Amino acid sequence: VKVALAEAVWPREYLYTGTDMYSLRDMEQLYTGELITTLTTAVGLCMKHVSSCLVCSGRGFICELCKDRRPVYPFNLDTSSQCSECLTVFHSSCAAGLSTCPKCERLEARSLNWHVTNSKLARETAGS
């Protein structure tokens, strides 16, 4: 996949090694639409790899709102939403009605429970 990706964007490997560097040629090709074609090809290669590779496909998220077993990936910008705090990924349609992230709520509850438990322990050991 890395070779195919390098060939798709050659000679501009920086297009997949970093996201903040573009050349003047890239800007010209963006204007003409050629860069979009190149990047669409590269993204297609990557998505095909992720869906067929056991390791990479296992790095997807299961939407904890609808429990659909098919993985959700943060790079599917049209169909996924990501929590800005904990980076959990949900289907956009599922997350549309959310006011708070369920994972963030769980993490906050665990943290609160930890503080309560430690406070109780501190009082019990101080009183002995």
Side-chain angles (χ1 to χ4, degrees):
V1 169
K2 189 173 182 179
V3 172
L5 183 59
E7 289 173 357
V9 297
W10 185 85
R12 301 171 290 184
E13 289 80 12
Y14 58 86
L15 288 175
Y16 69 86
T17 59
T19 58
D20 297 331
M21 185 188 325
Y22 297 95
S23 68
L24 288 175
R25 178 178 173 218
D26 296 333
M27 295 298 118
E28 290 172 349
Q29 288 185 346
L30 181 63
Y31 180 76
T32 64
E34 190 177 336
L35 183 61
I36 298 297
T37 304
T38 301
L39 293 177
T40 300
T41 301
V43 168
L45 286 167
C46 294
M47 291 177 77
K48 182 179 176 186
H49 170 75
V50 168
S51 65
S52 64
C53 173
L54 188 60
V55 173
C56 294
S57 64
R59 293 186 179 168
F61 291 80
I62 299 299
C63 178
E64 67 177 88
L65 301 174
C66 70
K67 310 285 194 256
D68 187 341
R69 302 293 298 158
R70 292 172 291 180
V72 182
Y73 300 99
F75 57 78
N76 287 336
L77 302 177
D78 295 337
T79 59
S80 67
S81 296
Q82 191 169 25
C83 174
S84 59
E85 297 295 319
C86 70
L87 305 179
T88 297
V89 181
F90 307 99
H91 294 109
S92 293
S93 56
C94 296
L98 281 182
S99 56
T100 59
C101 169
K103 182 174 180 182
C104 288
E105 287 178 352
R106 283 194 309 277
L107 293 172
E108 188 175 326
R110 280 188 203 144
S111 176
L112 182 60
N113 285 340
W114 182 84
H115 288 294
V116 168
T117 301
N118 280 346
S119 294
K120 286 180 182 177
L121 288 173
R123 282 193 304 252
E124 289 172 1
T125 53
S128 324

